[in-house]
Amino acid sequence: LAKTTQPISMDSYEGQEVNITCSHNNIATNDYITWYQQFPSQGPRFIIQGYKTKVTNEVASLFIPADRKSSTLSLPRVSLSDTAVYYCPLRPNNAGNMLTFGGGTRLMVKP
Amino acid sequence: AAGVIQSPRHLIKEKRETATLKCYPIPRHDTVYWYQQGPGQDPQFLISFYEKMQSDKGSIPDRFSAQQFSDYHSELNMSSLELGDSALYFCASSLLGPEGTDTQYFGPGTRLTVL
């Protein structure tokens, strides 16, 4: 069963780059890696998605090694508004498209 | 860009009452997912629909049912409400591509409080 492991929490300061790593040893061969950001009492917000190597958009970069057993979300120059929980949910192997959320990473950005 | 719409945003019910939550997916999305997030917990998958047919079922109590209508909106019906049903309920929609490639976009959620 696909399962993810992330650090429970991370602290950073405004303007710094933050890297959050997610381990997913049993990721399905055809599954994409997707990261979400969630603020309290709000729905998870899509950040970035990729299959392998590196993907970059206007808010983040996603690094995926060749074995795809982990991925790293990189947030450049964080601000206070980036304080949130970050998830890298996966789909269960050969069992549908639903997302399985493991414990996310609570990022605290300090001034 | 249009997002997923959920209504109501807040709902307060008494034990043993019923509740209906509605979800309006992003236009042209064909798949709807329902998730439940209890206080301090991670979102948990309940049920999903693709082209108006149930596609997957998660940890959804028998007291709950859902359907997707011809206009692709979905409703989650909850009966005999219990205190433990108090949670945030999220709907997500996607345009289903080859398995593993659809991106789910979440709505703002409905906060259900059972007293």
PDB file of all heavy atoms in Angstrom, chain A residues 30 32 36 38 41-44 46 49 87 91 96-99 101-103, chain B residues 33 35 37 42-43 45 56 88 90 96 99-104 106-108 111:
ATOM      1  N   ASN A  30       2.739   4.257 -12.205  1.00  0.00           N
ATOM      2  CA  ASN A  30       2.106   5.275 -13.040  1.00  0.00           C
ATOM      3  C   ASN A  30       1.580   6.469 -12.255  1.00  0.00           C
ATOM      4  O   ASN A  30       0.892   7.326 -12.814  1.00  0.00           O
ATOM      5  CB  ASN A  30       0.966   4.656 -13.848  1.00  0.00           C
ATOM      6  CG  ASN A  30      -0.108   4.089 -12.938  1.00  0.00           C
ATOM      7  OD1 ASN A  30       0.101   3.956 -11.735  1.00  0.00           O
ATOM      8  ND2 ASN A  30      -1.258   3.748 -13.489  1.00  0.00           N
ATOM      9  N   TYR A  32       1.564   9.998 -10.380  1.00  0.00           N
ATOM     10  CA  TYR A  32       2.234  11.274 -10.327  1.00  0.00           C
ATOM     11  C   TYR A  32       2.368  11.715  -8.876  1.00  0.00           C
ATOM     12  O   TYR A  32       1.613  11.281  -8.008  1.00  0.00           O
ATOM     13  CB  TYR A  32       1.460  12.328 -11.118  1.00  0.00           C
ATOM     14  CG  TYR A  32       1.787  12.325 -12.589  1.00  0.00           C
ATOM     15  CD1 TYR A  32       1.533  11.198 -13.373  1.00  0.00           C
ATOM     16  CD2 TYR A  32       2.355  13.430 -13.199  1.00  0.00           C
ATOM     17  CE1 TYR A  32       1.839  11.182 -14.716  1.00  0.00           C
ATOM     18  CE2 TYR A  32       2.658  13.432 -14.546  1.00  0.00           C
ATOM     19  CZ  TYR A  32       2.408  12.305 -15.298  1.00  0.00           C
ATOM     20  OH  TYR A  32       2.713  12.288 -16.625  1.00  0.00           O
ATOM     21  N   TYR A  36       0.184  19.531  -2.026  1.00  0.00           N
ATOM     22  CA  TYR A  36      -0.891  20.444  -1.684  1.00  0.00           C
ATOM     23  C   TYR A  36      -0.496  21.267  -0.460  1.00  0.00           C
ATOM     24  O   TYR A  36       0.261  20.817   0.400  1.00  0.00           O
ATOM     25  CB  TYR A  36      -2.178  19.674  -1.344  1.00  0.00           C
ATOM     26  CG  TYR A  36      -2.858  19.029  -2.532  1.00  0.00           C
ATOM     27  CD1 TYR A  36      -2.503  17.749  -2.941  1.00  0.00           C
ATOM     28  CD2 TYR A  36      -3.865  19.694  -3.220  1.00  0.00           C
ATOM     29  CE1 TYR A  36      -3.134  17.143  -4.026  1.00  0.00           C
ATOM     30  CE2 TYR A  36      -4.502  19.100  -4.310  1.00  0.00           C
ATOM     31  CZ  TYR A  36      -4.126  17.829  -4.700  1.00  0.00           C
ATOM     32  OH  TYR A  36      -4.755  17.245  -5.778  1.00  0.00           O
ATOM     33  N   GLN A  38      -2.325  23.432   2.725  1.00  0.00           N
ATOM     34  CA  GLN A  38      -3.606  23.603   3.396  1.00  0.00           C
ATOM     35  C   GLN A  38      -3.492  24.581   4.560  1.00  0.00           C
ATOM     36  O   GLN A  38      -2.667  24.387   5.460  1.00  0.00           O
ATOM     37  CB  GLN A  38      -4.163  22.267   3.897  1.00  0.00           C
ATOM     38  CG  GLN A  38      -5.580  22.402   4.454  1.00  0.00           C
ATOM     39  CD  GLN A  38      -6.192  21.110   4.902  1.00  0.00           C
ATOM     40  OE1 GLN A  38      -5.496  20.197   5.355  1.00  0.00           O
ATOM     41  NE2 GLN A  38      -7.517  21.013   4.804  1.00  0.00           N
ATOM     42  N   SER A  41      -8.858  25.239   8.258  1.00  0.00           N
ATOM     43  CA  SER A  41     -10.272  25.323   7.872  1.00  0.00           C
ATOM     44  C   SER A  41     -10.483  25.639   6.390  1.00  0.00           C
ATOM     45  O   SER A  41     -11.563  26.117   6.012  1.00  0.00           O
ATOM     46  CB  SER A  41     -11.010  26.359   8.730  1.00  0.00           C
ATOM     47  OG  SER A  41     -10.963  25.983  10.082  1.00  0.00           O
ATOM     48  N   GLN A  42      -9.471  25.373   5.569  1.00  0.00           N
ATOM     49  CA  GLN A  42      -9.611  25.568   4.128  1.00  0.00           C
ATOM     50  C   GLN A  42      -9.293  24.267   3.403  1.00  0.00           C
ATOM     51  O   GLN A  42      -8.652  23.367   3.957  1.00  0.00           O
ATOM     52  CB  GLN A  42      -8.692  26.682   3.621  1.00  0.00           C
ATOM     53  CG  GLN A  42      -9.034  28.052   4.153  1.00  0.00           C
ATOM     54  CD  GLN A  42      -8.205  29.141   3.498  1.00  0.00           C
ATOM     55  OE1 GLN A  42      -7.753  28.993   2.370  1.00  0.00           O
ATOM     56  NE2 GLN A  42      -8.022  30.241   4.202  1.00  0.00           N
ATOM     57  N   GLY A  43      -9.753  24.166   2.159  1.00  0.00           N
ATOM     58  CA  GLY A  43      -9.457  22.983   1.372  1.00  0.00           C
ATOM     59  C   GLY A  43      -8.009  22.955   0.917  1.00  0.00           C
ATOM     60  O   GLY A  43      -7.388  24.004   0.740  1.00  0.00           O
ATOM     61  N   PRO A  44      -7.445  21.756   0.756  1.00  0.00           N
ATOM     62  CA  PRO A  44      -6.083  21.656   0.230  1.00  0.00           C
ATOM     63  C   PRO A  44      -5.982  22.366  -1.125  1.00  0.00           C
ATOM     64  O   PRO A  44      -6.861  22.222  -1.973  1.00  0.00           O
ATOM     65  CB  PRO A  44      -5.879  20.147   0.082  1.00  0.00           C
ATOM     66  CG  PRO A  44      -6.805  19.545   1.089  1.00  0.00           C
ATOM     67  CD  PRO A  44      -8.009  20.436   1.081  1.00  0.00           C
ATOM     68  N   PHE A  46      -3.816  22.922  -4.568  1.00  0.00           N
ATOM     69  CA  PHE A  46      -2.801  22.324  -5.437  1.00  0.00           C
ATOM     70  C   PHE A  46      -1.619  23.268  -5.594  1.00  0.00           C
ATOM     71  O   PHE A  46      -1.779  24.456  -5.858  1.00  0.00           O
ATOM     72  CB  PHE A  46      -3.414  22.015  -6.806  1.00  0.00           C
ATOM     73  CG  PHE A  46      -2.412  21.615  -7.858  1.00  0.00           C
ATOM     74  CD1 PHE A  46      -1.921  20.321  -7.900  1.00  0.00           C
ATOM     75  CD2 PHE A  46      -1.948  22.533  -8.793  1.00  0.00           C
ATOM     76  CE1 PHE A  46      -1.001  19.945  -8.870  1.00  0.00           C
ATOM     77  CE2 PHE A  46      -1.029  22.169  -9.767  1.00  0.00           C
ATOM     78  CZ  PHE A  46      -0.554  20.866  -9.795  1.00  0.00           C
ATOM     79  N   GLN A  49       2.824  19.385  -9.455  1.00  0.00           N
ATOM     80  CA  GLN A  49       2.743  17.956  -9.736  1.00  0.00           C
ATOM     81  C   GLN A  49       3.828  17.572 -10.723  1.00  0.00           C
ATOM     82  O   GLN A  49       4.138  18.337 -11.643  1.00  0.00           O
ATOM     83  CB  GLN A  49       1.358  17.622 -10.320  1.00  0.00           C
ATOM     84  CG  GLN A  49       1.154  16.162 -10.675  1.00  0.00           C
ATOM     85  CD  GLN A  49      -0.266  15.888 -11.155  1.00  0.00           C
ATOM     86  OE1 GLN A  49      -1.138  15.513 -10.380  1.00  0.00           O
ATOM     87  NE2 GLN A  49      -0.505  16.101 -12.428  1.00  0.00           N
ATOM     88  N   TYR A  87       1.158  18.701   2.134  1.00  0.00           N
ATOM     89  CA  TYR A  87       0.920  17.268   1.966  1.00  0.00           C
ATOM     90  C   TYR A  87       1.434  16.789   0.610  1.00  0.00           C
ATOM     91  O   TYR A  87       1.372  17.527  -0.390  1.00  0.00           O
ATOM     92  CB  TYR A  87      -0.579  16.964   1.993  1.00  0.00           C
ATOM     93  CG  TYR A  87      -1.281  17.102   3.309  1.00  0.00           C
ATOM     94  CD1 TYR A  87      -2.039  18.229   3.606  1.00  0.00           C
ATOM     95  CD2 TYR A  87      -1.221  16.077   4.255  1.00  0.00           C
ATOM     96  CE1 TYR A  87      -2.728  18.336   4.808  1.00  0.00           C
ATOM     97  CE2 TYR A  87      -1.911  16.183   5.459  1.00  0.00           C
ATOM     98  CZ  TYR A  87      -2.659  17.313   5.729  1.00  0.00           C
ATOM     99  OH  TYR A  87      -3.343  17.413   6.916  1.00  0.00           O
ATOM    100  N   ARG A  91      -1.841   7.904  -4.556  1.00  0.00           N
ATOM    101  CA  ARG A  91      -2.959   7.031  -4.860  1.00  0.00           C
ATOM    102  C   ARG A  91      -2.598   5.610  -4.439  1.00  0.00           C
ATOM    103  O   ARG A  91      -1.459   5.191  -4.608  1.00  0.00           O
ATOM    104  CB  ARG A  91      -3.275   7.058  -6.353  1.00  0.00           C
ATOM    105  CG  ARG A  91      -3.816   8.388  -6.819  1.00  0.00           C
ATOM    106  CD  ARG A  91      -3.851   8.485  -8.324  1.00  0.00           C
ATOM    107  NE  ARG A  91      -4.405   9.745  -8.748  1.00  0.00           N
ATOM    108  CZ  ARG A  91      -3.733  10.901  -8.745  1.00  0.00           C
ATOM    109  NH1 ARG A  91      -2.493  10.925  -8.350  1.00  0.00           N
ATOM    110  NH2 ARG A  91      -4.319  12.007  -9.152  1.00  0.00           N
ATOM    111  N   GLY A  96      -7.650   2.663  -7.554  1.00  0.00           N
ATOM    112  CA  GLY A  96      -8.433   3.864  -7.741  1.00  0.00           C
ATOM    113  C   GLY A  96      -7.607   5.130  -7.757  1.00  0.00           C
ATOM    114  O   GLY A  96      -6.392   5.120  -7.575  1.00  0.00           O
ATOM    115  N   ASN A  97      -8.295   6.235  -7.966  1.00  0.00           N
ATOM    116  CA  ASN A  97      -7.641   7.531  -8.092  1.00  0.00           C
ATOM    117  C   ASN A  97      -7.755   8.398  -6.848  1.00  0.00           C
ATOM    118  O   ASN A  97      -7.302   9.537  -6.853  1.00  0.00           O
ATOM    119  CB  ASN A  97      -8.216   8.292  -9.286  1.00  0.00           C
ATOM    120  CG  ASN A  97      -7.727   7.711 -10.602  1.00  0.00           C
ATOM    121  OD1 ASN A  97      -6.580   7.320 -10.725  1.00  0.00           O
ATOM    122  ND2 ASN A  97      -8.599   7.647 -11.567  1.00  0.00           N
ATOM    123  N   MET A  98      -8.364   7.868  -5.790  1.00  0.00           N
ATOM    124  CA  MET A  98      -8.485   8.680  -4.587  1.00  0.00           C
ATOM    125  C   MET A  98      -7.109   8.964  -4.012  1.00  0.00           C
ATOM    126  O   MET A  98      -6.153   8.219  -4.229  1.00  0.00           O
ATOM    127  CB  MET A  98      -9.357   7.982  -3.554  1.00  0.00           C
ATOM    128  CG  MET A  98      -8.688   6.815  -2.835  1.00  0.00           C
ATOM    129  SD  MET A  98      -8.480   5.368  -3.868  1.00  0.00           S
ATOM    130  CE  MET A  98     -10.108   4.658  -3.735  1.00  0.00           C
ATOM    131  N   LEU A  99      -6.995  10.057  -3.265  1.00  0.00           N
ATOM    132  CA  LEU A  99      -5.735  10.422  -2.635  1.00  0.00           C
ATOM    133  C   LEU A  99      -5.705   9.935  -1.189  1.00  0.00           C
ATOM    134  O   LEU A  99      -6.689  10.043  -0.467  1.00  0.00           O
ATOM    135  CB  LEU A  99      -5.558  11.941  -2.671  1.00  0.00           C
ATOM    136  CG  LEU A  99      -5.426  12.561  -4.059  1.00  0.00           C
ATOM    137  CD1 LEU A  99      -5.379  14.082  -3.968  1.00  0.00           C
ATOM    138  CD2 LEU A  99      -4.183  12.026  -4.762  1.00  0.00           C
ATOM    139  N   PHE A 101      -3.915  10.690   2.160  1.00  0.00           N
ATOM    140  CA  PHE A 101      -3.121  11.710   2.832  1.00  0.00           C
ATOM    141  C   PHE A 101      -2.448  11.106   4.057  1.00  0.00           C
ATOM    142  O   PHE A 101      -3.108  10.574   4.953  1.00  0.00           O
ATOM    143  CB  PHE A 101      -4.011  12.865   3.291  1.00  0.00           C
ATOM    144  CG  PHE A 101      -4.483  13.758   2.170  1.00  0.00           C
ATOM    145  CD1 PHE A 101      -5.551  13.378   1.366  1.00  0.00           C
ATOM    146  CD2 PHE A 101      -3.870  14.977   1.928  1.00  0.00           C
ATOM    147  CE1 PHE A 101      -5.990  14.194   0.337  1.00  0.00           C
ATOM    148  CE2 PHE A 101      -4.306  15.805   0.912  1.00  0.00           C
ATOM    149  CZ  PHE A 101      -5.370  15.416   0.107  1.00  0.00           C
ATOM    150  N   GLY A 102      -1.128  11.166   4.083  1.00  0.00           N
ATOM    151  CA  GLY A 102      -0.407  10.799   5.287  1.00  0.00           C
ATOM    152  C   GLY A 102      -0.262  12.060   6.127  1.00  0.00           C
ATOM    153  O   GLY A 102      -0.817  13.100   5.798  1.00  0.00           O
ATOM    154  N   GLY A 103       0.443  11.993   7.206  1.00  0.00           N
ATOM    155  CA  GLY A 103       0.659  13.185   8.015  1.00  0.00           C
ATOM    156  C   GLY A 103       1.427  14.224   7.224  1.00  0.00           C
ATOM    157  O   GLY A 103       2.450  13.920   6.643  1.00  0.00           O
TER     158      GLY A 103
ATOM    159  N   TYR B  33     -14.756  13.800  -5.959  1.00  0.00           N
ATOM    160  CA  TYR B  33     -14.310  13.049  -4.781  1.00  0.00           C
ATOM    161  C   TYR B  33     -14.820  13.750  -3.527  1.00  0.00           C
ATOM    162  O   TYR B  33     -14.850  14.970  -3.469  1.00  0.00           O
ATOM    163  CB  TYR B  33     -12.785  13.012  -4.708  1.00  0.00           C
ATOM    164  CG  TYR B  33     -12.074  12.437  -5.910  1.00  0.00           C
ATOM    165  CD1 TYR B  33     -11.825  13.222  -7.047  1.00  0.00           C
ATOM    166  CD2 TYR B  33     -11.608  11.125  -5.926  1.00  0.00           C
ATOM    167  CE1 TYR B  33     -11.167  12.707  -8.141  1.00  0.00           C
ATOM    168  CE2 TYR B  33     -10.940  10.613  -7.021  1.00  0.00           C
ATOM    169  CZ  TYR B  33     -10.725  11.406  -8.127  1.00  0.00           C
ATOM    170  OH  TYR B  33     -10.060  10.890  -9.217  1.00  0.00           O
ATOM    171  N   TYR B  35     -14.078  13.991   0.666  1.00  0.00           N
ATOM    172  CA  TYR B  35     -13.141  13.704   1.742  1.00  0.00           C
ATOM    173  C   TYR B  35     -13.696  14.277   3.048  1.00  0.00           C
ATOM    174  O   TYR B  35     -14.381  15.286   3.052  1.00  0.00           O
ATOM    175  CB  TYR B  35     -11.770  14.337   1.474  1.00  0.00           C
ATOM    176  CG  TYR B  35     -11.022  13.762   0.293  1.00  0.00           C
ATOM    177  CD1 TYR B  35     -11.278  14.210  -1.005  1.00  0.00           C
ATOM    178  CD2 TYR B  35     -10.039  12.782   0.466  1.00  0.00           C
ATOM    179  CE1 TYR B  35     -10.594  13.687  -2.083  1.00  0.00           C
ATOM    180  CE2 TYR B  35      -9.352  12.258  -0.614  1.00  0.00           C
ATOM    181  CZ  TYR B  35      -9.635  12.717  -1.882  1.00  0.00           C
ATOM    182  OH  TYR B  35      -8.946  12.200  -2.952  1.00  0.00           O
ATOM    183  N   GLN B  37     -12.415  15.523   6.935  1.00  0.00           N
ATOM    184  CA  GLN B  37     -11.247  15.864   7.763  1.00  0.00           C
ATOM    185  C   GLN B  37     -11.719  16.231   9.155  1.00  0.00           C
ATOM    186  O   GLN B  37     -12.314  17.291   9.372  1.00  0.00           O
ATOM    187  CB  GLN B  37     -10.457  17.021   7.149  1.00  0.00           C
ATOM    188  CG  GLN B  37      -9.153  17.312   7.874  1.00  0.00           C
ATOM    189  CD  GLN B  37      -8.296  18.334   7.136  1.00  0.00           C
ATOM    190  OE1 GLN B  37      -8.808  19.190   6.429  1.00  0.00           O
ATOM    191  NE2 GLN B  37      -6.976  18.251   7.312  1.00  0.00           N
ATOM    192  N   ASP B  42      -5.901  14.311   9.153  1.00  0.00           N
ATOM    193  CA  ASP B  42      -5.657  14.490   7.729  1.00  0.00           C
ATOM    194  C   ASP B  42      -6.941  14.166   6.956  1.00  0.00           C
ATOM    195  O   ASP B  42      -7.784  13.413   7.431  1.00  0.00           O
ATOM    196  CB  ASP B  42      -4.525  13.569   7.266  1.00  0.00           C
ATOM    197  CG  ASP B  42      -3.257  13.742   8.077  1.00  0.00           C
ATOM    198  OD1 ASP B  42      -2.870  14.907   8.300  1.00  0.00           O
ATOM    199  OD2 ASP B  42      -2.677  12.727   8.494  1.00  0.00           O
ATOM    200  N   PRO B  43      -7.092  14.693   5.775  1.00  0.00           N
ATOM    201  CA  PRO B  43      -8.275  14.347   4.972  1.00  0.00           C
ATOM    202  C   PRO B  43      -8.334  12.844   4.694  1.00  0.00           C
ATOM    203  O   PRO B  43      -7.311  12.217   4.402  1.00  0.00           O
ATOM    204  CB  PRO B  43      -8.059  15.137   3.675  1.00  0.00           C
ATOM    205  CG  PRO B  43      -7.153  16.261   4.060  1.00  0.00           C
ATOM    206  CD  PRO B  43      -6.242  15.702   5.107  1.00  0.00           C
ATOM    207  N   PHE B  45     -10.471   9.883   2.465  1.00  0.00           N
ATOM    208  CA  PHE B  45     -11.349   9.690   1.312  1.00  0.00           C
ATOM    209  C   PHE B  45     -12.641   8.973   1.705  1.00  0.00           C
ATOM    210  O   PHE B  45     -12.607   7.991   2.452  1.00  0.00           O
ATOM    211  CB  PHE B  45     -10.603   8.889   0.244  1.00  0.00           C
ATOM    212  CG  PHE B  45     -11.471   8.416  -0.891  1.00  0.00           C
ATOM    213  CD1 PHE B  45     -11.948   9.306  -1.835  1.00  0.00           C
ATOM    214  CD2 PHE B  45     -11.821   7.072  -0.994  1.00  0.00           C
ATOM    215  CE1 PHE B  45     -12.749   8.876  -2.878  1.00  0.00           C
ATOM    216  CE2 PHE B  45     -12.621   6.634  -2.033  1.00  0.00           C
ATOM    217  CZ  PHE B  45     -13.079   7.529  -2.972  1.00  0.00           C
ATOM    218  N   ASP B  56     -15.142   4.768  -6.714  1.00  0.00           N
ATOM    219  CA  ASP B  56     -14.397   4.203  -5.599  1.00  0.00           C
ATOM    220  C   ASP B  56     -15.122   4.516  -4.288  1.00  0.00           C
ATOM    221  O   ASP B  56     -15.846   5.503  -4.197  1.00  0.00           O
ATOM    222  CB  ASP B  56     -12.970   4.761  -5.534  1.00  0.00           C
ATOM    223  CG  ASP B  56     -12.117   4.321  -6.704  1.00  0.00           C
ATOM    224  OD1 ASP B  56     -11.958   3.100  -6.883  1.00  0.00           O
ATOM    225  OD2 ASP B  56     -11.630   5.186  -7.454  1.00  0.00           O
ATOM    226  N   LEU B  88     -14.790  18.734   8.779  1.00  0.00           N
ATOM    227  CA  LEU B  88     -14.806  19.460   7.512  1.00  0.00           C
ATOM    228  C   LEU B  88     -14.993  18.435   6.408  1.00  0.00           C
ATOM    229  O   LEU B  88     -14.319  17.397   6.394  1.00  0.00           O
ATOM    230  CB  LEU B  88     -13.489  20.200   7.300  1.00  0.00           C
ATOM    231  CG  LEU B  88     -13.340  21.578   7.936  1.00  0.00           C
ATOM    232  CD1 LEU B  88     -11.886  22.008   7.931  1.00  0.00           C
ATOM    233  CD2 LEU B  88     -14.197  22.597   7.218  1.00  0.00           C
ATOM    234  N   PHE B  90     -14.755  17.972   2.386  1.00  0.00           N
ATOM    235  CA  PHE B  90     -14.259  18.586   1.169  1.00  0.00           C
ATOM    236  C   PHE B  90     -14.709  17.791  -0.043  1.00  0.00           C
ATOM    237  O   PHE B  90     -14.750  16.566  -0.031  1.00  0.00           O
ATOM    238  CB  PHE B  90     -12.724  18.637   1.162  1.00  0.00           C
ATOM    239  CG  PHE B  90     -12.147  19.513   2.225  1.00  0.00           C
ATOM    240  CD1 PHE B  90     -11.451  18.966   3.286  1.00  0.00           C
ATOM    241  CD2 PHE B  90     -12.289  20.892   2.161  1.00  0.00           C
ATOM    242  CE1 PHE B  90     -10.905  19.770   4.277  1.00  0.00           C
ATOM    243  CE2 PHE B  90     -11.753  21.704   3.148  1.00  0.00           C
ATOM    244  CZ  PHE B  90     -11.065  21.136   4.207  1.00  0.00           C
ATOM    245  N   LEU B  96     -10.548  13.320 -15.469  1.00  0.00           N
ATOM    246  CA  LEU B  96      -9.828  12.073 -15.346  1.00  0.00           C
ATOM    247  C   LEU B  96      -9.076  11.731 -16.616  1.00  0.00           C
ATOM    248  O   LEU B  96      -9.659  11.559 -17.674  1.00  0.00           O
ATOM    249  CB  LEU B  96     -10.800  10.946 -15.002  1.00  0.00           C
ATOM    250  CG  LEU B  96     -10.172   9.675 -14.461  1.00  0.00           C
ATOM    251  CD1 LEU B  96      -9.447   9.978 -13.154  1.00  0.00           C
ATOM    252  CD2 LEU B  96     -11.245   8.634 -14.217  1.00  0.00           C
ATOM    253  N   GLU B  99      -4.845   6.719 -15.639  1.00  0.00           N
ATOM    254  CA  GLU B  99      -4.813   6.560 -14.183  1.00  0.00           C
ATOM    255  C   GLU B  99      -3.533   7.132 -13.599  1.00  0.00           C
ATOM    256  O   GLU B  99      -2.437   6.839 -14.026  1.00  0.00           O
ATOM    257  CB  GLU B  99      -4.939   5.083 -13.815  1.00  0.00           C
ATOM    258  CG  GLU B  99      -5.119   4.876 -12.318  1.00  0.00           C
ATOM    259  CD  GLU B  99      -5.532   3.467 -11.972  1.00  0.00           C
ATOM    260  OE1 GLU B  99      -6.022   2.759 -12.859  1.00  0.00           O
ATOM    261  OE2 GLU B  99      -5.349   3.067 -10.821  1.00  0.00           O
ATOM    262  N   GLY B 100      -3.702   7.938 -12.597  1.00  0.00           N
ATOM    263  CA  GLY B 100      -2.567   8.531 -11.918  1.00  0.00           C
ATOM    264  C   GLY B 100      -2.218   9.910 -12.401  1.00  0.00           C
ATOM    265  O   GLY B 100      -1.336  10.547 -11.855  1.00  0.00           O
ATOM    266  N   THR B 101      -2.906  10.414 -13.420  1.00  0.00           N
ATOM    267  CA  THR B 101      -2.521  11.705 -13.953  1.00  0.00           C
ATOM    268  C   THR B 101      -3.537  12.798 -13.715  1.00  0.00           C
ATOM    269  O   THR B 101      -3.299  13.924 -14.095  1.00  0.00           O
ATOM    270  CB  THR B 101      -2.277  11.609 -15.467  1.00  0.00           C
ATOM    271  OG1 THR B 101      -3.511  11.251 -16.115  1.00  0.00           O
ATOM    272  CG2 THR B 101      -1.221  10.580 -15.794  1.00  0.00           C
ATOM    273  N   ASP B 102      -4.668  12.488 -13.099  1.00  0.00           N
ATOM    274  CA  ASP B 102      -5.624  13.575 -12.897  1.00  0.00           C
ATOM    275  C   ASP B 102      -5.210  14.396 -11.690  1.00  0.00           C
ATOM    276  O   ASP B 102      -4.644  13.874 -10.740  1.00  0.00           O
ATOM    277  CB  ASP B 102      -7.048  13.038 -12.731  1.00  0.00           C
ATOM    278  CG  ASP B 102      -7.264  12.353 -11.388  1.00  0.00           C
ATOM    279  OD1 ASP B 102      -6.354  11.630 -10.933  1.00  0.00           O
ATOM    280  OD2 ASP B 102      -8.342  12.530 -10.800  1.00  0.00           O
ATOM    281  N   THR B 103      -5.459  15.690 -11.756  1.00  0.00           N
ATOM    282  CA  THR B 103      -5.150  16.578 -10.648  1.00  0.00           C
ATOM    283  C   THR B 103      -6.461  16.956  -9.979  1.00  0.00           C
ATOM    284  O   THR B 103      -7.373  17.444 -10.632  1.00  0.00           O
ATOM    285  CB  THR B 103      -4.446  17.849 -11.149  1.00  0.00           C
ATOM    286  OG1 THR B 103      -3.232  17.484 -11.804  1.00  0.00           O
ATOM    287  CG2 THR B 103      -4.133  18.772  -9.973  1.00  0.00           C
ATOM    288  N   GLN B 104      -6.541  16.697  -8.687  1.00  0.00           N
ATOM    289  CA  GLN B 104      -7.759  17.000  -7.946  1.00  0.00           C
ATOM    290  C   GLN B 104      -7.681  18.407  -7.383  1.00  0.00           C
ATOM    291  O   GLN B 104      -6.694  18.778  -6.736  1.00  0.00           O
ATOM    292  CB  GLN B 104      -7.951  15.987  -6.820  1.00  0.00           C
ATOM    293  CG  GLN B 104      -8.166  14.576  -7.344  1.00  0.00           C
ATOM    294  CD  GLN B 104      -8.368  13.554  -6.258  1.00  0.00           C
ATOM    295  OE1 GLN B 104      -8.870  13.874  -5.169  1.00  0.00           O
ATOM    296  NE2 GLN B 104      -7.994  12.320  -6.528  1.00  0.00           N
ATOM    297  N   PHE B 106      -9.571  21.015  -4.874  1.00  0.00           N
ATOM    298  CA  PHE B 106     -10.467  20.952  -3.727  1.00  0.00           C
ATOM    299  C   PHE B 106     -11.304  22.211  -3.579  1.00  0.00           C
ATOM    300  O   PHE B 106     -10.857  23.320  -3.887  1.00  0.00           O
ATOM    301  CB  PHE B 106      -9.660  20.743  -2.439  1.00  0.00           C
ATOM    302  CG  PHE B 106      -9.142  19.350  -2.281  1.00  0.00           C
ATOM    303  CD1 PHE B 106      -8.048  18.913  -3.014  1.00  0.00           C
ATOM    304  CD2 PHE B 106      -9.748  18.462  -1.403  1.00  0.00           C
ATOM    305  CE1 PHE B 106      -7.569  17.605  -2.878  1.00  0.00           C
ATOM    306  CE2 PHE B 106      -9.281  17.166  -1.254  1.00  0.00           C
ATOM    307  CZ  PHE B 106      -8.193  16.739  -1.992  1.00  0.00           C
ATOM    308  N   GLY B 107     -12.510  22.005  -3.060  1.00  0.00           N
ATOM    309  CA  GLY B 107     -13.366  23.116  -2.718  1.00  0.00           C
ATOM    310  C   GLY B 107     -13.025  23.653  -1.336  1.00  0.00           C
ATOM    311  O   GLY B 107     -12.156  23.118  -0.647  1.00  0.00           O
ATOM    312  N   PRO B 108     -13.750  24.700  -0.922  1.00  0.00           N
ATOM    313  CA  PRO B 108     -13.455  25.327   0.375  1.00  0.00           C
ATOM    314  C   PRO B 108     -13.940  24.521   1.569  1.00  0.00           C
ATOM    315  O   PRO B 108     -13.536  24.792   2.699  1.00  0.00           O
ATOM    316  CB  PRO B 108     -14.207  26.656   0.285  1.00  0.00           C
ATOM    317  CG  PRO B 108     -15.331  26.378  -0.652  1.00  0.00           C
ATOM    318  CD  PRO B 108     -14.794  25.397  -1.652  1.00  0.00           C
ATOM    319  N   ARG B 111     -18.193  22.933   6.838  1.00  0.00           N
ATOM    320  CA  ARG B 111     -17.942  22.570   8.235  1.00  0.00           C
ATOM    321  C   ARG B 111     -19.248  22.112   8.857  1.00  0.00           C
ATOM    322  O   ARG B 111     -20.189  22.898   9.000  1.00  0.00           O
ATOM    323  CB  ARG B 111     -17.370  23.742   9.026  1.00  0.00           C
ATOM    324  CG  ARG B 111     -17.127  23.393  10.501  1.00  0.00           C
ATOM    325  CD  ARG B 111     -16.481  24.529  11.261  1.00  0.00           C
ATOM    326  NE  ARG B 111     -15.120  24.779  10.825  1.00  0.00           N
ATOM    327  CZ  ARG B 111     -14.062  24.054  11.185  1.00  0.00           C
ATOM    328  NH1 ARG B 111     -14.210  23.010  11.982  1.00  0.00           N
ATOM    329  NH2 ARG B 111     -12.861  24.377  10.753  1.00  0.00           N
TER     330      ARG B 111
END
